[in-house]
Amino acid sequence: MRALALALFAATFATLTHAADVPFLSGRVVDDAEVLTPQARERLTAALKNHEQKTTNQIVVLTVPTIGNESIEEYAVRVFAAWKPGQKGKDNGVLVIVVPQDRKMRIEVGYGLEGTLTDAISSRIIRSEMTPQFKSGSFDRGVENGVNAIVALLEGGAEPAESKSSSSTTAHSAIDDIDAQLPPWPLRILLGLFIFGVIGLFTIIGVMTPGMGWFLYLFLIPFWAMFPIVIVGVKGALILVSIYLVGYPIAKLIVSRSAWYDKAKADLKKKGTATIGGFTMSSSSGGGSSWSSGGSSSGGGFSGGGGSSGGGGSSGSW
């Protein structure tokens, strides 16, 4: 067990401390992930060069296979700081990053263009122009559509329209964005042991406890709804809270028909205390019940064991 704990800690520490490398700026299109065809790279380079000659704006495209545990926002800031796209004094640079293995992307906008290429418009370009193409496996079209929309806007064109398909999937994209930011699995395992250990223990106590069990059922709903998101994401948390909402009452009804449950309920009424599985339960003045590990309680109240508790732009995923 000690070796396993050390291995998990080492894996978590290594994952958290690793930062993705910033590639060398070899041109207007740096395809380190090798997801673009040579023809697409040539078209993009020509379009970006032509746009810079017209406006002095510098737009660069970067694809990298993965950025590991680092957030797309942090990585984009590091790349932008290293590459410095845009003219000095104008800050008119734009960085488009695509990370295929992590299914992440970002449009990072220089200060001088934030008034035109706003966060909302950047997000709309990602949802409408890039995400649908990436989902279908076409990185060429996704990157070119996004770049063309940016260029058209910066050259005085109309804002890109929100497509019906993208607006209908906005909520789905938001869920994917949350899931994309989950911590690495070693850390999620450690957090899961703590979170599910705590709320699982209280769930078992609630199922086994006469009187206050239904109070715990309602009390634990927000914990089952929110805490698992850090471990299994939004969809996984929705499944778990659904299982809890249905499973807890069923388990409670089954347990309430057992002989030991009836005996504990009767002992609470007659003696004020009952012992279940090595735990001593005492009735409270309010008609509910409470638990104490080992020993007996006095005065009809609860006796605890002495414990304690303790930049502009937009991102997206597909």
Side-chain angles (χ1 to χ4, degrees), residues 23 30-36 44 60-67 72 75-76 79 95-108 126 130-131 134 138-140 142-144 146-147 316-318:
V30 181
D31 184 25
D32 262 25
E34 298 182 347
V35 293
L36 301 174
L44 285 166
V60 290
V61 175
L62 168 64
T63 73
V64 291
T66 180
I67 56 175
I72 187 68
Y75 184 69
V79 175
L95 171 65
V96 179
I97 297 183
V98 179
V99 190
Q101 291 183 21
D102 302 344
R103 304 175 73 88
K104 298 177 182 178
M105 67 191 115
R106 180 166 178 83
I107 299 174
E108 188 75 17
I126 286 175
M130 302 175 71
T131 299
F134 290 168
S138 178
F139 287 98
D140 282 3
V143 174
E144 288 189 86
V147 167
S317 61
W318 71 95

Side-chain angles (χ1 to χ4, degrees), residues 39-231:
Q39 296 80 7
R41 290 197 293 268
E42 290 177 4
R43 290 193 298 268
L44 285 166
T45 299
L48 297 179
K49 181 179 180 181
N50 182 58
H51 175 69
E52 182 177 353
Q53 291 174 344
K54 287 182 178 179
T55 64
T56 74
N57 300 330
Q58 284 187 335
I59 303 175
V60 290
V61 175
L62 168 64
T63 73
V64 291
T66 180
I67 56 175
N69 181 56
E70 190 172 11
S71 72
I72 187 68
E73 292 80 10
E74 293 173 344
Y75 184 69
V77 169
R78 289 203 298 117
V79 175
F80 206 99
W83 286 6
K84 296 179 173 60
Q87 307 299 324
K88 187 175 182 180
K90 291 185 176 181
D91 296 322
N92 55 343
V94 177
L95 171 65
V96 179
I97 297 183
V98 179
V99 190
Q101 291 183 21
D102 302 344
R103 304 175 73 88
K104 298 177 182 178
M105 67 191 115
R106 180 166 178 83
I107 299 174
E108 188 75 17
V109 184
Y111 292 118
L113 297 178
E114 286 183 346
T116 304
L117 186 57
T118 63
D119 293 358
I121 295 176
S122 298
S123 179
R124 193 180 306 159
I125 291 173
I126 286 175
R127 293 197 309 270
S128 301
E129 307 295 337
M130 302 175 71
T131 299
Q133 301 301 329
F134 290 168
K135 285 184 175 181
S136 65
S138 178
F139 287 98
D140 282 3
R141 293 184 62 183
V143 174
E144 288 189 86
N145 287 357
V147 167
N148 290 338
I150 294 171
V151 168
L153 178 70
L154 296 181
E155 292 183 0
E159 296 181 5
E162 184 83 65
S163 66
K164 293 183 179 179
S165 60
S166 65
S167 60
S168 64
T169 58
T170 299
H172 180 73
S173 299
I175 291 175
D176 290 340
D177 289 345
I178 294 175
D179 290 346
Q181 302 301 322
L182 292 176
W185 269 111
L187 181 58
R188 288 159 71 177
I189 292 173
L190 295 177
L191 289 173
L193 291 174
F194 173 75
I195 292 174
F196 292 125
V198 173
I199 61 178
L201 175 62
F202 279 98
T203 300
I204 294 173
I205 290 176
V207 169
M208 296 174 61
T209 304
M212 70 175 296
W214 294 111
F215 165 77
L216 278 177
Y217 171 65
L218 298 175
F219 178 79
L220 290 173
I221 288 176
F223 293 91
W224 277 106
M226 298 305 298
F227 285 178
I229 292 178
V230 182
I231 313 300

